[in-house]
Amino acid sequence: MTTATTKPAFDLDYSIDDFVPSERRDSQYLYRALEDAMVELATGVPGARVLDVACGTGKQAMRIAARGCTAVGIEASAEMIGVGRWLQPQSEARMLRSLAESLPFADGSFERVICQGSLDHFADPHAFMREAARVLTPDGRLVIALANFEGLSCRLGRLVDATKRRLQRPRPPWRLYWETPEDHNVRGDLPFVRSLGGDALVLERCVGMSMFWLFGPYSGLLDALPERAAGALWRALDRAARSRPQHADMIISTWRRTEAGTCQTTAG
Ligand SMILES: C[S@@+](CC[C@H](N)C(=O)[O-])C[C@H]1O[C@@H](n2cnc3c(N)ncnc32)[C@H](O)[C@@H]1O
């Protein structure tokens, strides 16, 4: 189920403090694998022009630039851009303040457009999809990584919570991991991802990444195991997630332009 929250508003003030990365192994393994996968997908064409939409501090754009691609990041928050430039002033990646829904580039400017962990923050994800199609070259690709709030981990978390409620056990005062965060405008899941294409883009590939992320007993088990065993377990579940995006923690979708998308751009 995809639920639009009540506030489809632009968030211009995202702060580096809004996301505190977890030190636990399930999170650490997922962050690393996701970032590596997105960089690989972005740099498949040597020397490509790559746009990272809602790039945060631009760390991905900077890795992409270091691989010899022309990397540009756009980002709504001036703070995030500032932190990124301060962290890596020597990077050749360009970062601009702009909105995903209105990209300041000519038609056909990029071979790859990527968007990692951000689409559910956008006020209008469909407007972003149209813009991404417009700025892609005719044979370009858009790659989106989105958290899945209907994966096995979230469903299990809800089930455990419902059982605890029935037993009248106290609830923690903080947001539970399977609840939609306040700064999200939509809740990501597989039907939502599949609905994104519109007339201009067609879904070429959709894979899952990681399983049981943030589910308490699993996080505890990974932290308790010797490192090699923890890594092996994480990778086994990740392999299982790949062909089951509906159950995975992250959904990675790759999009290409439709004939209609290509014609619109060349005619316009
Ligand atoms: C969870 S962070 C992810 C950042 C980065 N992609 C990463 O993976 O580290 C979400 C980012 O989306 C940005 N954002 C939210 N709405 C936006 C919009 N409409 N246009 C551009 N950026 C936006 C926020 O400022 C924030 O930096």
Side-chain angles (χ1 to χ4, degrees):
M1 191 181 78
T2 300
T3 312
T5 59
T6 48
K7 112 183 143 35
F10 290 109
D11 177 5
L12 306 178
D13 301 315
Y14 192 88
S15 165
I16 191 79
D17 298 322
D18 289 348
F19 176 71
V20 181
S22 166
E23 299 281 318
R24 304 195 76 167
R25 278 184 180 152
D26 60 340
S27 294
Q28 290 294 319
Y29 292 167
L30 172 56
Y31 302 152
R32 198 178 320 146
L34 179 62
E35 290 175 9
D36 289 352
M38 292 299 279
V39 169
E40 284 302 322
L41 289 165
T43 55
V45 179
R49 294 164 294 171
V50 181
L51 174 64
D52 183 357
V53 175
C55 65
T57 57
K59 61 182 175 194
Q60 293 291 79
M62 292 173 189
R63 283 182 67 183
I64 291 163
R67 288 193 173 196
C69 292
T70 301
V72 182
I74 72 103
E75 167 53 49
S77 156
E79 176 181 323
M80 296 298 276
I81 295 175
V83 170
R85 288 209 179 111
W86 178 75
L87 286 172
Q88 295 198 53
Q90 77 295 351
S91 171
E92 293 192 1
R94 278 173 61 211
M95 282 199 282
L96 309 172
R97 190 166 189 213
S98 174
L99 288 174
E101 291 87 346
S102 176
L103 298 172
F105 306 106
D107 298 355
S109 297
F110 298 97
E111 281 79 25
R112 293 286 180 273
V113 175
I114 64 167
C115 180
Q116 177 182 299
S118 299
L119 186 133
D120 41 15
H121 292 247
F122 298 164
D124 187 347
H126 295 281
F128 157 67
M129 293 298 283
R130 288 192 294 275
E131 279 293 85
R134 182 183 66 75
V135 302
L136 274 176
T137 55
D139 59 352
R141 295 290 184 276
L142 163 66
V143 185
I144 299 171
L146 193 68
N148 181 10
F149 282 81
E150 285 296 327
L152 264 184
S153 179
C154 286
R155 280 183 276 146
L156 264 176
R158 270 183 221 119
L159 190 70
V160 171
D161 183 52
T163 309
K164 283 184 176 169
R165 280 181 200 221
R166 269 198 294 280
L167 298 173
Q168 302 194 332
R169 296 266 296 277
R171 282 192 108 212
W174 55 82
R175 179 185 71 82
L176 295 164
Y177 72 90
W178 42 262
E179 294 174 320
T180 313
E182 268 220 338
D183 58 2
H184 284 198
N185 283 310
V186 291
R187 194 171 74 180
D189 61 12
L190 190 60
F192 172 68
V193 169
R194 289 193 187 285
S195 78
L196 281 169
D199 291 339
L201 289 162
V202 66
L203 185 58
E204 185 176 70
R205 189 162 173 262
C206 190
V207 295
M209 176 174 276
S210 161
M211 236 186 248
F212 300 120
W213 178 36
L214 302 174
F215 183 60
Y218 171 67
S219 303
L221 175 65
L222 273 198
D223 285 344
L225 284 172
E227 185 150 11
R228 279 180 64 159
L233 175 58
W234 188 90
R235 285 190 298 276
L237 288 169
D238 180 49
R239 273 194 299 279
R242 215 160 295 167
S243 57
R244 298 170 183 86
Q246 72 275 30
H247 300 315
D249 299 318
M250 295 295 301
I251 300 171
I252 302 178
S253 55
T254 304
W255 302 80
R256 63 176 168 73
R257 286 168 49 159
T258 58
E259 287 293 313
T262 309
C263 294
Q264 270 167 27
T265 302
T266 47

